[in-house]
Amino acid sequence: MAHHKPAILRKTLNGLLAAICLQATGHASPPVESHAAPVVPDVRLYVFDCGTLHIADLGRFHLERKEVSTSDMSVACFLIAHPKGTLIWDTGAVPDAAWKPTGTAVTYHIVLPDSQQRDVSIARSLQEQMAEAGYTASAITHLALSHYHYDHTANANEFAGAIWLVRQAERDAMFAAQPPGVTQPSTYEDLKNSKTLIITDDEYDVFGDGKVVIKAAPGHTPGHQVLFVRLAKTGPVVLSGDLWHYPQERTLDRVPTFEFNAEQTRATRVAIEAFLKKSGAQLWIQHDFTANASLRKSPGFYD
Ligand SMILES: [Zn+2]
């Protein structure tokens, strides 16, 4: 058919559009050529189980054991499927390549470069859960991390082929000669060469229709961010990143000891609370073990 553009030309045009977009920060990026990702009619939010983090020292959160219902934290990863592309939001605490699923949860002991140690129970790989939903890492068009701590970056390298949506201050810290504490730079080192879109505004509308919006939420780290997702049936949802970890930080007004800037965290919390009120969005605290346990997990999804 003469009026159909040859496939090779379409491919070149897509590449050109992506290249143009990457220079124009603050604007929505066009869809990147996808590798056999399922076509979705509207936005879907998938929740993956990326493990359970066992916290030994609640003092780091200015909390006491009697103030929380459990000291365990959920580690959640999320995939947002949009008709124009796919966004992975946070990538877990243990890289898939570092362990072998056995069918039951195993506890993985993590020693970070700054010599802090953590225990994470993990039952399923991210890759396996994505495959169940019909996705491979190479099919993902966009990657965003709420922030650079190790329990959010574990599988980041798997998404080095996606467009990385990040703020300059965060990226600078990640690749500094002396990386910040509680990071595992080897898990995100490949992002250094990713197509990168530096977010300069408070809000970044990922697909251009207001349904998937990354919002600045600095304080926990310099470029910490949260994600707003507008779902047709579920309604609007905000994924918290680590603006709060335990729900009691919110109800008892506690700020952890290890914030990049605690005053900034307090100001961000006020701003996001106001946004929740105005938008009517539900807040999903990503590390809230009890709330996360009741979320529908992939291959089920929220739409
Ligand atoms: Zn975290």
Side-chain angles (χ1 to χ4, degrees):
M1 295 290 186
H3 59 275
H4 283 163
K5 283 192 200 103
I8 185 88
L9 178 59
R10 281 206 303 273
K11 203 169 170 178
T12 309
L13 282 172
N14 282 345
L16 196 61
L17 283 168
I20 290 166
C21 166
L22 289 176
Q23 291 166 25
T25 55
H27 294 100
S29 48
V32 173
E33 190 183 6
S34 63
H35 305 271
V39 175
V40 295
D42 202 348
V43 182
R44 290 180 178 180
L45 173 57
Y46 290 91
V47 183
F48 302 122
D49 171 12
C50 285
T52 300
L53 180 52
H54 305 294
I55 301 292
D57 177 16
L58 281 166
R60 295 174 62 240
F61 300 90
H62 281 135
L63 287 165
E64 293 174 38
R65 182 63 188 86
K66 63 175 190 286
E67 292 176 316
V68 298
S69 46
T70 173
S71 56
D72 280 350
M73 288 184 181
S74 48
V75 180
C77 304
F78 302 88
L79 172 68
I80 298 87
H82 183 285
K84 287 186 175 174
T86 43
L87 169 70
I88 191 100
W89 175 260
D90 286 342
T91 64
V94 182
D96 285 353
W99 69 292
K100 284 248 179 302
T102 60
T104 51
V106 294
T107 299
Y108 189 90
H109 187 68
I110 296 172
V111 181
L112 297 170
D114 64 3
S115 77
Q116 294 198 55
Q117 302 187 25
R118 298 285 190 275
D119 285 311
V120 180
S121 297
I122 190 158
R124 307 196 60 203
S125 71
L126 176 57
Q127 182 186 297
E128 173 195 2
Q129 294 177 75
M130 285 178 61
E132 265 186 7
Y135 293 88
T136 59
S138 62
I140 302 306
T141 62
H142 294 77
L143 163 72
L145 304 167
S146 60
H147 65 298
Y148 53 52
H149 286 152
Y150 81 97
D151 55 313
H152 300 259
T153 65
N155 290 291
N157 286 339
E158 301 302 316
F159 303 96
I163 295 175
W164 183 27
L165 306 171
V166 64
R167 291 164 199 277
Q168 190 73 57
E170 193 82 355
R171 190 183 185 283
D172 288 348
M174 291 167 79
F175 294 111
Q178 183 67 51
V182 210
T183 57
Q184 187 68 280
S186 63
T187 63
Y188 59 72
E189 62 190 1
D190 293 353
L191 301 185
K192 197 163 194 175
N193 300 314
S194 288
K195 287 182 194 169
T196 302
L197 195 151
I198 300 294
I199 304 177
T200 54
D201 295 339
D202 275 359
E203 295 195 344
Y204 180 73
D205 184 349
V206 181
F207 300 109
D209 59 3
K211 293 182 176 177
V212 183
V213 179
I214 297 173
K215 290 179 66 66
H220 189 56
T221 63
H224 182 273
Q225 46 196 10
V226 299
L227 184 68
F228 171 80
V229 185
R230 185 178 293 287
L231 296 163
K233 293 181 197 154
T234 307
V237 173
V238 168
L239 305 183
S240 67
D242 283 8
L243 184 55
W244 297 272
H245 305 75
Y246 293 100
Q248 290 79 13
E249 288 168 46
R250 191 179 180 205
T251 52
L252 301 175
D253 188 25
R254 307 287 169 79
V255 175
T257 58
F258 56 101
E259 299 295 280
F260 166 73
N261 183 329
E263 281 318 299
Q264 202 173 33
T265 294
R266 288 186 180 282
T268 292
R269 284 182 177 183
V270 169
I272 296 299
E273 290 284 12
F275 175 76
L276 291 168
K277 209 166 183 179
K278 195 180 95 189
S279 64
Q282 305 174 42
L283 175 68
W284 288 7
I285 297 179
Q286 295 181 207
H287 282 309
D288 181 346
F289 183 86
T290 308
N292 181 270
S294 68
L295 290 181
R296 185 184 309 147
K297 301 300 184 308
S298 178
F301 56 83
Y302 290 90
D303 61 358

